[in-house]
């Protein structure tokens, strides 16, 4: 249990940190309408009390985490599973329990340990147990976990993730999903921290207002002015939270719209390189462009509104400060109390700023790790295939492996493409022979190549360097014993040797079996070889899908072999 358990979790440490910070924020929200004293009595003193054993502490902490008020709104379930809850509770107990029990006796919290806990935050009184003490304890724990578990570089994070055994055998995708979930969690955590800070500070302002309204030495006119300005601050803070939520929603919509726009641009570029693709993307392109422009303008408008609101909040806060000076002049009895509460407001502002900076750094680290992982996974297929074949081997063209009748039928069907790209009878004879080896339909193999490059063997994609009949990536070409530069200079006939080797190596590497290959099988090895033995290759919540949404032929949010089959048949002349 404890820290050792955390080391074995195949995720970045920030997900652990974000979990218990979210609990703390939830607790603050739950008790924001009551006094800090009630908070202490209701929760802290029941958890941190003399005689509490480790087992009792873990149980009490676990029960707190099961409370519906500590539910993570991201997924509607408790943000701790049982193991993590017990682990964190166990570590917190050990950090407090410095006076170890004698041999044979059970550890429990004593009066000195409770006093030390109550004194973690020096600003709330030496023996006054408050939520500030709990926050210091959690911050200390965060630093401990961070120092022992933080992985320094994206490369180390990726290697660590890949070294773990995955229940479904897909460590790479599990790692990407973990990173994606953590990014979403920390983004949500950032928002919640900001919203919570606004609420905390507003509660402090309300506390000052209550002091002012109850003080008989303060004039009625000054009370009315202060109450009015305080209400204005409350309204502005509420508006600020609403604007911030709208900014996030609009930004999310804009990101999605930009992805659609880029996907349509890719489709247009592919269509320009492939005369057989007669799809008219004009309407889709114009609509996507209008959507991006509209959302961009909305986002700019919201950001201007947010900045303007901030200026108003600053002005109102200064007005309240000015009134507080006048109030202190009229009533010296509440001057010290107002100063003390203002100090808490300043501390909360500093604390929130520090937390947001920390979360921003976490997000930056995770996004770098995500980018690194995607780049690694994109080249992983070629590396796997390389271990299953010798790149120097040459495809053996067996003339007995086809009939002239079969070749003539295929050549006739593809006559227009043959004329355009200079493909002769020998080319189609080799395609038929390769197809017989692979146990696939030669027209479907040609359909895959037509979809990828329009049967132009020298076609190159400027984005990533994909080249040739099946758009070999540089790493793939290297694994096959050649290069994209060499492939681009080959005739279509010669390049077919590498098409054959690619399929034979990957079919074996990804355990496709020795049975017949469908059009979906053929395309899946080109598109996402690591998942070629699945029916559903990717879905809308994954980066693979977002980068290739155009392959979702039926628009159901999944790219399946059936989709790839339809894609291939669309490009069979």
């Amino acid at each position: 249990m404890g820290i050792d358990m955390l080391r074995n979790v195949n995720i970045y440490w920030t997900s652990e940190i974000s979990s218990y910070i979210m609990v703390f924020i939830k607790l603050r929200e739950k008790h924001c309408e009551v006094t800090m004293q009630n908070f202490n009595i209701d929760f802290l003193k029941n958890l941190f009390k003399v005689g509490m054993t480790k087992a009792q502490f873990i149980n009490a902490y676990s029960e707190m985490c099961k409370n519906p008020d500590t539910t993570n709104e991201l997924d509607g379930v408790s943000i701790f599973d049982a193991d993590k809850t017990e682990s964190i509770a166990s570590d917190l107990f050990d950090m407090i329990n410095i006076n170890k029990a004698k041999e044979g006796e059970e550890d429990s919290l004593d009066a000195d340990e409770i006093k030390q806990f109550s004194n973690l935050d020096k600003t709330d009184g030496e023996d006054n147990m408050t939520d500030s003490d709990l926050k210091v304890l959690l911050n200390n724990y965060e630093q401990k976990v961070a120092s022992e578990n933080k992985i320094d570089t994206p490369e180390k994070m990726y290697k660590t993730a890949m070294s773990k055994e995955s229940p479904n055998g897909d460590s790479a995708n599990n790692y990407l999903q973990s990173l994606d979930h953590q990014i979403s969690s920390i983004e949500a955590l950032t928002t919640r921290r900001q919203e919570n800070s606004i609420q905390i500070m507003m509660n402090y302002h309300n506390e000052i207002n209550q002091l002012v309204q109850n003080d008989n030495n303060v004039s009625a006119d000054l009370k009315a002015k202060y109450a009015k300005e305080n209400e204005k601050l409350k309204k502005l803070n509420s508006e600020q939270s609403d604007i911030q939520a709208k900014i996030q929603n609009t930004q999310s919509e804009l990101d999605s719209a930009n992805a659609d726009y880029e996907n349509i641009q890719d489709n247009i570029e592919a269509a320009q390189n492939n005369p057989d693709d007669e799809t008219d993307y004009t309407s889709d392109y114009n609509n996507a462009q209008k959507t991006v422009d509209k959302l961009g303008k909305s986002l700019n408008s919201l950001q201007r509104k947010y900045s303007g609101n901030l200026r108003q909040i600053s002005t109102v806060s200064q007005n309240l400060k000015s009134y507080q000076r006048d109030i202190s002049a009229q009533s010296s009895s509440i001057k010290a109390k107002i100063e003390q509460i203002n100090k808490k407001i300043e501390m909360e502002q500093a604390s929130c700023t520090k937390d947001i900076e920390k979360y921003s750094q976490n997000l930056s680290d995770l996004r770098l790790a995500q980018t690194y992982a995607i780049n690694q996974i994109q080249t992983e297929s070629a590396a796997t295939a390389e271990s299953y074949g010798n790149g120097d081997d040459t495809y053996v063209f067996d003339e007995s492996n086809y009939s002239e009748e079969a070749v003539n039928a295929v050549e006739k069907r593809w006559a227009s493409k043959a004329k355009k790209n200079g493909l002769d009878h020998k080319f189609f004879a080799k395609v038929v022979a390769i197809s017989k080896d692979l146990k696939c339909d030669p027209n479907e193999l040609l359909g895959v190549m037509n979809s990828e490059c329009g049967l132009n063997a020298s076609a190159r994609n400027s984005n990533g360097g994909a080249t040739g009949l099946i758009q070999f990536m540089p790493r793939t070409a290297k694994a096959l014993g050649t290069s994209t530069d060499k492939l681009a200079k080959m005739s279509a006939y010669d390049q077919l040797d590498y098409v054959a080797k690619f399929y034979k190596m990957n079919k074996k590497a990804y355990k496709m079996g020795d049975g017949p290959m469908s059009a979906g099988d053929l395309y899946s090895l080109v598109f996402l070889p690591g998942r070629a033995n699945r029916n559903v290759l990717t879905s809308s919540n994954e980066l693979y899908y977002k980068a290739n949404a155009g392959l979702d032929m039926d628009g159901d949010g999944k790219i399946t072999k059936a989709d790839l089959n339809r894609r291939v048949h669309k490009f069979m002349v």
Side-chain angles (χ1 to χ4, degrees):
M1 300 296 289
I3 294 295
D4 289 333
M5 190 283 294
L6 291 180
R7 286 199 188 100
N8 294 326
V9 177
N10 187 21
I11 52 178
Y12 190 58
W13 67 264
T14 47
S15 64
E16 300 291 341
I17 304 307
S18 64
S19 291
Y20 73 74
I21 292 177
M22 186 72 85
V23 164
F24 174 75
I25 289 175
K26 283 285 191 178
L27 285 170
R28 292 295 293 264
E29 289 173 348
K30 179 182 178 183
H31 296 279
C32 67
E33 299 300 329
V34 298
T35 65
M36 291 300 176
Q37 184 178 5
N38 285 337
F39 180 94
N40 299 336
I41 294 171
D42 292 343
F43 171 67
L44 291 180
K45 289 188 176 179
N46 286 328
L47 184 61
F48 299 93
K49 62 183 179 182
V50 175
M52 178 74 85
T53 66
K54 189 171 189 176
Q56 291 171 336
F57 185 91
I58 291 173
N59 183 63
Y61 195 83
S62 300
E63 286 301 314
M64 177 271 292
C65 293
K66 292 177 184 176
N67 189 307
D69 288 330
T70 61
T71 296
N72 184 355
E73 293 179 357
L74 287 176
D75 51 20
V77 298
S78 174
I79 60 178
F80 287 124
D81 62 33
D83 287 342
K84 291 179 186 175
T85 304
E86 292 181 7
S87 170
I88 292 173
S90 175
D91 289 334
L92 292 178
F93 183 90
D94 289 341
M95 290 176 70
I96 302 167
N97 182 38
I98 55 177
N99 301 324
K100 302 302 179 183
K102 296 178 181 178
E103 187 175 350
E105 295 181 1
E106 187 174 10
D107 266 332
S108 63
L109 300 179
D110 59 35
D112 287 339
E113 291 164 343
I114 297 299
K115 184 175 181 179
Q116 287 193 40
F117 169 73
S118 301
N119 198 31
L120 284 175
D121 181 19
K122 311 292 184 184
T123 64
D124 60 6
E126 183 175 345
D127 298 320
N128 187 20
M129 187 186 296
T130 71
D131 62 333
S132 297
D133 298 307
L134 175 60
K135 185 172 184 180
V136 173
L137 180 65
L138 290 173
N139 285 340
N140 291 343
Y141 179 56
E142 175 183 354
Q143 292 171 13
K144 180 181 178 182
V145 176
S147 64
E148 297 186 17
N149 292 275
K150 190 173 188 293
I151 301 174
D152 294 327
T153 66
E155 182 180 6
K156 287 182 180 179
M157 290 173 65
Y158 182 78
K159 287 181 178 179
T160 300
M162 294 303 101
S163 68
K164 305 288 184 181
E165 286 190 15
S166 173
N168 61 4
D170 195 353
S171 296
N173 183 49
N174 291 342
Y175 177 58
L176 276 179
Q177 287 184 329
S178 171
L179 290 174
D180 195 46
H181 176 72
Q182 289 172 65
I183 288 170
S184 298
S185 296
I186 296 176
E187 286 175 340
L189 180 61
T190 301
T191 301
R192 296 300 298 275
R193 181 67 182 94
Q194 290 170 328
E195 291 175 349
N196 180 250
S197 184
I198 290 172
Q199 182 64 60
I200 290 170
M201 289 189 287
M202 197 63 238
N203 287 342
Y204 286 139
H205 282 294
N206 288 337
E207 194 174 338
I208 293 175
N209 184 51
Q210 196 64 38
L211 287 172
V212 172
Q213 303 306 319
N214 292 338
D215 195 303
N216 294 327
N217 295 320
V218 180
S219 67
D221 179 57
L222 195 50
K223 285 182 179 181
K225 288 180 179 179
Y226 194 90
K228 182 179 179 180
E229 209 69 9
N230 191 68
E231 191 62 30
K232 189 184 294 184
L233 180 63
K234 183 178 179 180
K235 183 180 178 182
L236 286 169
N237 279 329
S238 177
E239 289 175 353
Q240 195 74 335
S241 295
D242 290 341
I243 295 170
Q244 192 171 34
K246 289 177 181 178
I247 286 175
Q248 289 180 330
N249 290 335
T250 305
Q251 182 65 65
S252 178
E253 290 177 12
L254 181 59
D255 290 342
S256 178
N258 273 320
D260 290 341
Y261 182 61
E262 290 172 5
N263 187 54
I264 292 169
Q265 287 180 312
D266 289 342
N267 287 338
I268 292 173
E269 182 180 347
Q272 289 171 343
N273 294 329
N274 190 347
D276 290 328
D277 188 348
E278 299 177 353
T279 308
D280 185 1
Y281 294 101
T282 305
S283 178
D284 290 342
Y285 178 84
N286 290 337
N287 289 335
Q289 192 173 46
K290 287 178 183 177
T291 301
V292 169
D293 290 344
K294 181 180 178 181
L295 288 170
K297 290 177 181 177
S298 296
L299 185 61
N300 288 335
S301 175
L302 286 168
Q303 288 170 336
R304 287 194 298 271
K305 191 173 182 180
Y306 184 86
S307 298
N309 217 53
L310 272 181
R311 288 192 292 272
Q312 291 185 63
I313 289 174
S314 177
T315 299
V316 172
S317 297
Q318 291 301 317
N319 291 342
L320 287 171
K321 286 275 190 182
S322 176
Y323 288 142
Q324 286 172 13
R325 287 191 290 271
D326 294 339
I327 289 166
S328 296
Q330 290 185 7
S331 177
S332 58
S333 62
I334 63 171
K335 180 180 179 180
K337 293 179 181 179
I338 290 176
E339 289 176 351
Q340 185 180 21
I341 296 172
N342 277 329
K343 186 176 181 181
K344 289 183 178 180
I345 292 174
E346 291 171 3
M347 289 174 63
E348 174 55 32
Q349 285 176 324
S351 174
C352 183
T353 299
K354 184 178 179 181
D355 286 344
I356 298 304
E357 288 175 352
K358 178 173 57 185
Y359 302 153
S360 296
Q361 183 60 53
N362 289 345
L363 283 172
S364 177
D365 291 344
L366 288 168
R367 286 178 176 135
L368 284 173
Q370 188 180 57
T371 300
Y372 180 87
I374 291 169
N375 290 336
Q376 287 297 111
I377 291 167
Q378 286 176 342
T379 60
E380 192 176 72
S381 298
T384 304
E386 187 175 9
S387 66
Y388 282 89
N390 183 346
D392 294 328
D393 291 342
T394 302
Y395 177 72
V396 179
F397 178 49
D398 183 359
E399 293 189 10
S400 66
N401 210 18
Y402 68 92
S403 69
E404 278 296 323
E405 184 180 356
V407 175
N408 290 336
V410 173
E411 186 176 10
K412 182 178 179 181
R413 179 169 182 169
W414 293 85
S416 62
K417 298 298 295 186
K419 183 177 180 180
K420 179 178 176 61
N421 293 294
L423 307 176
D424 58 16
H425 183 78
K426 286 174 58 180
F427 172 83
F428 290 104
K430 186 179 277 192
V431 169
V432 172
I434 291 170
S435 299
K436 192 169 182 180
D437 273 354
L438 296 176
K439 298 181 181 178
C440 70
D441 183 333
N443 291 298
E444 290 182 338
L445 179 57
L446 285 163
V448 171
M449 292 187 281
N450 191 29
S451 171
E452 289 294 286
C453 69
L455 286 181
N456 176 7
S458 61
R460 302 192 79 159
N461 189 324
S462 57
N463 183 19
T467 302
L469 292 172
I470 55 173
Q471 292 293 278
F472 298 94
M473 293 297 290
R475 178 71 180 269
T476 306
K478 183 179 179 181
L480 294 169
T482 185
S483 68
T484 51
D485 287 338
K486 290 179 180 178
L487 286 167
K489 296 174 183 177
M490 291 181 192
S491 67
Y493 177 85
D494 290 336
Q495 204 178 107
L496 280 175
D497 289 344
Y498 294 94
V499 172
K501 283 193 288 185
F502 170 84
Y503 274 113
K504 291 176 74 173
M505 289 162 57
N506 281 284
K507 188 178 180 183
K508 181 179 179 181
Y510 297 106
K511 300 178 176 61
M512 297 287 287
D514 197 37
M517 296 187 74
S518 68
D521 292 330
L522 291 168
Y523 207 134
S524 65
L525 282 172
V526 173
F527 166 53
L528 203 55
R531 300 186 182 185
N533 55 4
R534 300 183 185 183
N535 285 321
V536 178
L537 284 86
T538 184
S539 51
S540 58
N541 63 329
E542 295 185 86
L543 294 170
Y544 298 126
Y545 179 94
K546 294 171 184 176
N548 299 277
L551 295 178
D552 182 5
M553 303 298 286
D554 57 9
D556 65 350
K558 295 179 289 188
I559 297 176
T560 65
K561 282 194 178 177
D563 288 317
L564 299 183
N565 187 74
R566 289 174 63 184
R567 168 83 176 186
V568 171
H569 280 260
K570 178 181 177 181
F571 284 89
M572 284 169 54
V573 296

